[in-house]
């Protein structure tokens, strides 16, 4: 329980927790505004800038409110609480002096600076600075640094707040930026003068308060007051980070994070931030029909009529596969259409994953992203969370830094930015762990809140059930699942996967799964295949089947397609998405679809009319009503539907599948920047990918 202390702020007495800093006490209790540059709520305290000075009445000099706690204050001589002033003449003069020092070497770049209009230094100089300058010497000059294709540097503007240093070191876990030299020669630099390698490096752009670090792809594109903004959901992984999409004149120009402490805090990954140029490249903007081996532009009515003709045959020879970026509405419409046609060969797991037909908790990240910080022992199986879900990895690192958790990995060895015990690479190593044949086994069994994070590398194999049965043995000997805690976590990497599993977009009785659909397509037994944004398949196996592709980009699915139906990207439609922990969220459209492209659900609704199987909804509201009625878990926007009794379900299979070759786990993501059609269409992501390859080759040579 917090130790509350009394403190007098600007003449009014308050009672606040003793561990509060003066800055927190002044802002939260008294509502005072304390300026700052170096302080950030999610980073360690540096006390560099001194902009947050307040007056402690009786002290010989002003105090840095970010670095002094309420417990550090002594009462006045008469026993009354310490007096803190945030608006006295002493404070005003001190802040003016600090601002004057900060501006001594700052260049007059405001008219050409990308940070102009949303710059902390601009705002605070106007609010707290002097109206004249007294410095007449030459300003110092600092060389710009190479931080890669994402972060632009103009280091003359830097005020050495070290936010970027602390973020890269503490949150990203990659010690590549530091403060070199001292005094007037101090400067922020990358240690090896090379590109940043972190998947989160773009966040330093938001953290920089002065425009020394800005977005290189966005440079000189627009001013903030020219942009229109909407809040949406990131689909580049399954975390469901909250984002803000900024656009102008129908073009997306920037993507920024939105604070959500339950999911992404205030960070986003680089591929979430910089995929926006891929939204306008290689787009499908009109229907196409393949004739004599070549695609030609077609009218909507012609394309839909031909698609309806191909979908009117034997239901057993028709199949549908959903991709990784689909919204819930389009999947619901396609599922209803296929059901009306009596087609049972449907699947939302294009990577071949075999789980999802059991209770909802059997395929969710049950501890929640926020809750992973409460876990005291974490076992990662068949996954590299740094590449598959970077912001889940930061939560694990955060817990590790706090000394709360011990971590082990069974799978490919990789740099996860924190210490872990590597227990092996094969399913048999999980069995050894469950039988107590390692030091970590004892730690896991004694842990009060242990967690297992199982990735796609362990869930798309022939022996998945055997691996899950090993975890079941481990769960029976530990507190993995109790009335108060569920530490069984599936780490998905497809944004649409949980929504698809929630609505059971899965093979019905006698239906074929993805692997079988591809196998039967290769042999010609599947005559018509409907791909809804599915591009991560082995397309060479589909030459013998008629492919209808509906999607936004001209990727591998469009290359093999016989009919192309152009859909909208995530930035162009109103859609529901469910993240890996089961949290339902809504993404809003920032711009209009390109050319003749339409929202995916409306295309399927129009197709149902051509088939004579008209779906019972004419607008997105009635479609959502049907979705909520059939699948109530979608109705709690912003929430996770909780089970009535968290312990009352059978997550894992009890029987052991004996057929196994004990093949090592293989992580599903090798190239962080090239995991979907939007990213593969992005020039910025292509540059990041090529740079990563060259860095890997350099390290291998060394």
């Amino acid at each position: 329980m917090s130790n509350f202390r009394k403190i007098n702020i600007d003449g009014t007495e308050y009672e606040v927790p003793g561990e509060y800093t003066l800055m927190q006490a002044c802002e939260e209790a008294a509502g005072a505004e304390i300026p700052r540059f170096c302080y950030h709520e999610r980073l360690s305290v540096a006390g560099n800038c001194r902009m947050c000075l307040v007056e402690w009445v009786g002290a010989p000099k002003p105090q840095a409110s970010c670095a002094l706690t309420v417990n550090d204050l002594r009462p006045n001589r008469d026993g009354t609480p310490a007096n803190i002033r945030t608006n006295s003449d002493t404070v005003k003069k001190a802040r003016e002096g600090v601002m004057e020092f900060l501006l001594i070497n700052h260049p007059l770049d405001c008219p050409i600076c990308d940070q102009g209009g949303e710059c902390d230094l601009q705002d605070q100089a106007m609010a707290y600075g002097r109206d004249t300058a007294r410095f007449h010497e030459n300003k110092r000059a600092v060389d710009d640094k190479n931080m890669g294709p994402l972060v632009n540097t103009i280091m003359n503007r830097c005020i050495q707040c070290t936010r970027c240093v602390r973020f890269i070191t503490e949150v990203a876990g990659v010690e590549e930026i530091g403060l070199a030299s001292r005094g007037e020669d101090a400067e922020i630099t990358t240690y090896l003068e090379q590109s940043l390698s972190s998947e989160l490096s773009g966040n330093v752009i938001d953290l920089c308060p002065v425009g020394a670090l800005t977005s290189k792809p966005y440079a000189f594109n627009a001013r903030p007051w020219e942009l229109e903004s909407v809040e949406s959901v990131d689909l580049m992984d399954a975390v469901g980070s909250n984002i803000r999409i900024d656009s102008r004149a129908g073009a997306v120009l920037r993507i920024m994070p939105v604070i959500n402490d339950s999911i992404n805090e205030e960070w986003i990954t680089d591929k979430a931030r910089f995929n926006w140029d891929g939204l306008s490249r290689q787009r499908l903007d009109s229907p196409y029909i393949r004739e004599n081996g070549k695609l030609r532009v077609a009218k909507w009515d012609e394309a839909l009529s031909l698609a309806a003709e191909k979908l009117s045959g034997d239901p057993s020879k028709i199949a549908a596969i959903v991709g990784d970026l689909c919204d819930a509405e389009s999947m619901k419409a396609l599922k209803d259409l296929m059901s009306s046609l009596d087609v049972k060969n449907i699947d939302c797991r294009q990577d071949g994953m075999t789980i999802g037909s059991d209770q909802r908790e059997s395929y969710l990240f049950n501890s929640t992203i926020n809750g992973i910080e409460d876990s005291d022992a974490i076992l990662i199986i068949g996954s590299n969370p740094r590449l598959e879900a970077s912001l889940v990895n930061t939560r694990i690192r955060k817990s590790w830094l706090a000394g709360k958790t011990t971590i082990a990995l069974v799978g490919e060895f990789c740099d996860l930015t924190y210490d872990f015990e590597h227990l092996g690479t094969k399913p048999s190593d999980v069995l050894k762990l469950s039988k107590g044949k390692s030091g970590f086994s004892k730690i896991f069994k004694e842990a009060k809140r242990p967690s297992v994070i199982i990735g796609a590398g362990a869930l798309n194999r022939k022996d998945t059930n055997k691996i899950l049965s090993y975890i079941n043995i481990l769960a029976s000997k530990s507190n993995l699942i109790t009335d108060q805690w569920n530490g069984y976590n599936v780490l998905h990497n497809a944004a649409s996967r949980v929504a698809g599993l929630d609505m059971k977009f899965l093979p019905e009785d006698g239906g074929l799964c993805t692997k079988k659909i591809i196998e039967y397509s290769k042999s010609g037994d599947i005559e018509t295949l409907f791909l809804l944004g599915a591009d991560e398949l082995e397309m060479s196996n589909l030459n013998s089947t008629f492919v209808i592709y509906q999607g936004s980009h001209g990727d591998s699915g469009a290359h093999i397609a016989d009919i192309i139906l152009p859909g909208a990207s995530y930035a162009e439609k109103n859609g529901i998405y469910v993240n890996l922990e089961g949290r339902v969220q809504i993404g809003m459209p920032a711009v209009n679809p390109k050319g003749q492209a339409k929202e995916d659900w409306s295309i399927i609704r129009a197709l149902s009319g051509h088939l004579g199987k008209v779906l019972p909804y004419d607008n997105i509201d009635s479609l959502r009503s049907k979705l909520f009625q059939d699948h109530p878990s979608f109705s709690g926007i912003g929430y996770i539907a909780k089970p009535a009794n968290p312990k009352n379900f059978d997550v894992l299979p009890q029987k052991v599948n004996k057929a196994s070759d004990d093949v090592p786990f293989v992580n599903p993501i090798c190239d962080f920047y090239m995991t979907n059609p939007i990213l593969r269409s992005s020039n910025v992501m292509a540059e990041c990918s090529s740079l990563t390859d060259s860095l890997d080759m350099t390290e291998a040579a060394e």
Side-chain angles (χ1 to χ4, degrees), residues 149-168:
L150 304 180
V151 181
N152 191 41
T153 62
I154 305 95
M155 302 311 293
N156 285 333
R157 303 172 186 165
C158 181
I159 61 170
Q160 288 90 44
C161 71
T162 70
R163 279 186 179 184
C164 57
V165 177
R166 285 174 283 148
F167 172 82
I168 286 292

Side-chain angles (χ1 to χ4, degrees), residues 569-587:
S569 73
Y570 76 95
E572 300 158 1
K573 60 185 175 183
N574 187 338
I576 290 177
Y577 306 94
V578 185
N579 75 345
L580 52 78
E581 59 183 352
R583 191 181 303 273
V584 182
Q585 302 184 98
I586 291 184

